[in-house]
Amino acid sequence: MSERKFVTTSGIEIKDVYTAVKQDVERPGQFPFTRGIQKDMYRGRLWTMRQYAGFSTAEESNKRYHYLLAQGTMGLSVAFDLPTQIGYDSDDEMAEGEVGKVGVAIDSLRDIETLFDGIELQKITTSMTINATAAILLAMYIALAKKQGADLKQISGTIQNDILKEYAARGTYIYPPKPSMRIITDIFEYCSKELPKWNTISISGYHIREAGSTAVQELAFTLANGKAYLNAALQKGLNIDVFAKRLSFFFNCHNNFFEEIAKFRAARRMWAHITKSLGAKDEKAMMLRFHTQTGGSTLTAQQPLNNVVRVSNQALAAVLGGTQSLHTNGYDEALSLPTEAAAKIALRTQQIIAFESGVTDTVDPLAGSYFIESLTNEVEAAAYVYIDKIEVMGGAVNAIENGYIQQEIAYSAYQYQKEVESGERIIVGVNKFTQEKGEVNEVFNIDESIRTIQIEKLKKLRLERDHVAVELALSRLTQAAQTDENLMPFILNAVEEYATLGEIANCLRKVFGEY
């Protein structure tokens, strides 16, 4: 516990935690963690201020990373372009029109070397929003860490690696659900031995919410997916007290301030009970650790500067809900990728909450509020109704395969849109308090020439690498995919020989097929 004295601006001392009575059973840092996973929370250590970036080429993204690190960001989050997310090289005809657009284009280990040029991987944490090709991108990251001489046991970060929500809400899957689950459990197993500090999955409610779900559905479907991953790992014979410590979650934060805080508190409590029911005995394996991103779908293209207020409101709710890591969106993201100015004000928003608001001075400051406690219980009860239904269907994989989760999200999205169009739900600047003139002139544009640059890089790579070694590595990977062997060492070997992302994904397509 920090020895520093915390006081208000008037000099009134603030205790580390407040409870209704001295023998109050619910305390932070104790099962079921409703009030936070650490007993001193932000008094001991602030959340990680992570800014999501990645666009065009590895060279351009590298410049933005150095800019963000200079502004005080504490962790990097990598956005990948669509071809990288679905296993196509930049010169594949399927990649046309999409190279470098929604994230950075990564074709081989060379691009990863450029992306992190001048950045020591052992000194930062990196989060990668990647799913179907997560094993390949993780292998590239490991290969670079090895080249830098890093101790792999100290490398920390997160891969999203949450394929179930792709089938339900987002669509960047490659293989059918069952082989996809096999790759995920291979990653769990490999990292538990080789990269013990790496978070092997970030079970994501974010995209479920962006697709139109309610807060309760986001919570329920995310935890149901989490339960499916636990069961898959248990079936592989992994120890829940080891692998569950490396699972993390990724939640959205929308505008309804108190409901979002209640959602985060309920999530921790529910996960603690779910892991315990599946055999976890170590309390660290029962802790729900999560990253939050403010709600992209809540941002408006009309009067975009209003988004600064929305993002501040959402970021404050995430902090009051006890997040471990936070990304704040740029005010201009409904128009384009964020400009540097928007990325900076987004980061400053977090810094102002951390250092000026006083909300970090005590743990779970809203605990004991009649409204918050009641809402936490109600959100939890409503989420369990969905989880129980999914359980009857045989779990999340079956619920996704028969379309149940997708239908529920689609219905909620439709209802929301109807309310906006009828004026029943007010969106400031969109259906009320509107104005004609725009406020933002500068937007961030991606040059169409990026694909040409990437294609030239690929031509050069294919001329310079050892063809025989590449072919041998890919052939071994294809053979391993037909057995029960762990695929990670084979993928790592292929990556180190400079096989491309598309070549590796195609080996697995041959064996597993496409969904």
Side-chain angles (χ1 to χ4, degrees):
M1 178 94 40
S2 167
E3 290 304 308
R4 191 181 133 214
K5 214 174 177 185
F6 289 81
V7 293
T8 69
T9 50
S10 309
I12 298 164
E13 191 168 348
I14 302 166
K15 291 195 289 190
D16 61 326
V17 67
Y18 289 84
T19 52
V21 285
K22 281 212 166 62
Q23 65 273 28
D24 191 333
V25 288
E26 277 263 350
R27 291 187 75 86
Q30 291 176 6
F31 182 89
F33 311 108
T34 315
R35 301 196 61 187
I37 58 167
Q38 307 296 346
K39 65 175 196 265
D40 56 353
M41 284 302 285
Y42 306 134
R43 279 168 74 113
R45 182 184 166 196
L46 289 173
W47 64 91
T48 300
M49 296 178 197
R50 218 175 252 300
Q51 286 306 103
Y52 190 45
F55 52 88
S56 87
T57 60
E59 289 84 350
E60 288 303 309
S61 292
N62 177 261
K63 286 179 201 163
R64 177 67 67 92
Y65 290 154
H66 281 286
Y67 172 78
L68 288 169
L69 289 166
Q71 297 300 323
T73 199
M74 294 142 68
L76 298 176
S77 288
V78 189
F80 297 95
D81 72 358
L82 274 174
T84 305
Q85 291 181 48
I86 49 178
Y88 294 112
D89 289 331
S90 298
D91 59 357
D92 193 297
E93 61 183 27
M94 292 291 283
E96 195 170 342
E98 286 297 341
V99 176
K101 287 290 170 70
V102 298
V104 63
I106 299 292
D107 291 318
S108 74
L109 175 56
R110 274 198 189 165
D111 287 326
I112 286 286
E113 290 165 358
T114 305
L115 185 67
F116 292 103
D117 186 39
I119 298 168
E120 280 185 68
L121 301 191
Q122 200 170 316
K123 288 188 177 169
I124 56 154
T125 68
T126 303
S127 173
M128 296 190 269
T129 305
I130 196 73
N131 297 282
T133 52
I136 305 170
L137 272 301
L138 176 60
M140 289 179 183
Y141 196 83
I142 294 168
L144 176 58
K146 283 168 71 176
K147 287 184 95 166
Q148 287 186 355
D151 175 2
L152 294 186
K153 300 274 189 278
Q154 299 305 318
I155 291 288
S156 67
T158 305
I159 37 171
Q160 193 162 95
N161 196 26
D162 172 11
I163 205 68
L164 291 179
K165 66 93 181 46
E166 294 298 324
Y167 301 111
R170 198 161 166 268
T172 68
Y173 45 77
I174 303 173
Y175 323 109
K178 291 191 172 71
S180 294
M181 290 294 275
R182 177 244 173 119
I183 296 169
I184 287 170
T185 53
D186 280 357
I187 294 170
F188 287 176
E189 184 179 53
Y190 180 83
C191 289
S192 68
K193 295 175 187 136
E194 306 296 330
L195 273 80
K197 287 191 170 180
W198 192 268
N199 296 322
T200 47
I201 192 166
S202 175
I203 303 157
S204 175
Y206 187 85
H207 305 93
I208 290 170
R209 193 68 177 282
E210 290 294 281
S213 80
T214 64
V216 163
Q217 288 171 335
E218 177 193 358
L219 175 58
F221 300 154
T222 306
L223 296 191
N225 286 349
K227 202 171 175 181
Y229 294 123
L230 289 177
N231 282 321
L234 287 167
Q235 280 165 14
K236 202 178 172 81
L238 301 183
N239 180 347
I240 192 167
D241 281 329
V242 175
F243 76 81
K245 287 179 191 168
R246 302 276 36 113
L247 306 183
S248 67
F249 286 80
F250 173 23
F251 287 114
N252 208 314
C253 197
H254 273 219
N255 288 327
N256 194 309
F257 191 70
F258 294 108
E259 184 180 42
E260 295 300 313
I261 296 165
K263 177 186 79 182
F264 298 133
R265 296 174 91 250
R268 273 193 294 273
R269 187 158 73 202
M270 292 170 76
W271 188 246
H273 287 295
I274 287 168
T275 46
K276 194 174 186 178
S277 73
L278 290 174
K281 291 183 176 60
D282 186 331
E283 286 212 335
K284 281 201 160 57
M286 303 175 199
M287 288 178 181
L288 180 141
R289 298 166 303 120
F290 69 101
H291 168 70
T292 309
Q293 183 174 337
T294 56
S297 63
T298 67
L299 302 178
T300 63
Q302 300 90 329
Q303 301 177 33
L305 290 174
N306 292 349
N307 294 328
V308 175
V309 183
R310 290 185 181 104
V311 169
S312 305
N313 179 45
Q314 294 163 11
L316 184 58
V319 169
L320 289 168
T323 194
Q324 275 61 67
S325 162
L326 179 60
H327 165 82
T328 30
N329 289 336
Y331 61 77
D332 53 3
E333 285 189 54
L335 299 165
S336 72
L337 285 168
T339 52
E340 277 195 359
K344 190 201 291 187
I345 197 73
L347 178 59
R348 293 289 182 260
T349 302
Q350 295 199 47
Q351 291 162 337
I352 289 166
I353 291 170
F355 299 106
E356 296 185 28
S357 70
V359 297
T360 60
D361 291 349
T362 188
V363 181
D364 197 18
L366 294 185
S369 147
Y370 299 127
F371 182 39
I372 281 289
E373 296 299 351
S374 176
L375 198 52
T376 301
N377 295 340
E378 287 183 54
V379 166
E380 178 180 12
Y384 269 126
V385 171
Y386 281 110
I387 288 174
D388 293 344
K389 267 189 204 163
I390 290 166
E391 206 60 24
V392 169
M393 293 174 197
V397 179
N398 288 355
I400 287 164
E401 284 182 337
N402 70 28
Y404 169 72
I405 290 176
Q406 298 91 310
Q407 284 162 9
E408 290 295 314
I409 295 169
Y411 180 73
S412 294
Y414 173 67
Q415 289 301 112
Y416 179 89
Q417 193 55 35
K418 260 178 40 178
E419 288 168 19
V420 171
E421 286 173 15
S422 70
E424 190 185 335
R425 183 183 293 273
I426 291 168
I427 310 290
V428 173
V430 176
N431 62 3
K432 202 168 171 118
F433 314 113
T434 55
Q435 65 184 45
E436 289 301 305
K437 198 172 172 297
E439 297 165 323
V440 171
N441 301 317
E442 186 196 354
V443 293
F444 193 85
N445 289 310
I446 298 295
D447 197 317
E448 288 294 336
S449 66
I450 285 155
R451 185 164 186 242
T452 314
I453 295 166
Q454 287 299 113
I455 289 171
E456 285 309 310
K457 281 200 237 171
L458 279 166
K459 276 185 192 159
K460 190 166 182 282
L461 174 81
R462 290 189 176 117
L463 283 172
E464 292 171 355
R465 66 188 186 177
D466 181 337
H467 295 284
V468 177
V470 171
E471 286 308 313
L472 183 61
L474 292 173
S475 150
R476 282 178 176 156
L477 172 62
T478 306
Q479 284 165 2
Q482 292 162 21
T483 70
D484 289 336
E485 279 190 271
N486 191 306
L487 295 177
M488 276 304 292
F490 297 95
I491 294 171
L492 180 59
N493 176 236
V495 157
E496 289 181 321
E497 295 297 349
Y498 291 92
T500 68
L501 174 113
E503 289 165 346
I504 294 168
N506 284 338
C507 287
L508 300 178
R509 278 188 180 96
K510 263 186 251 165
V511 180
F512 300 144
E514 287 192 79
Y515 187 67

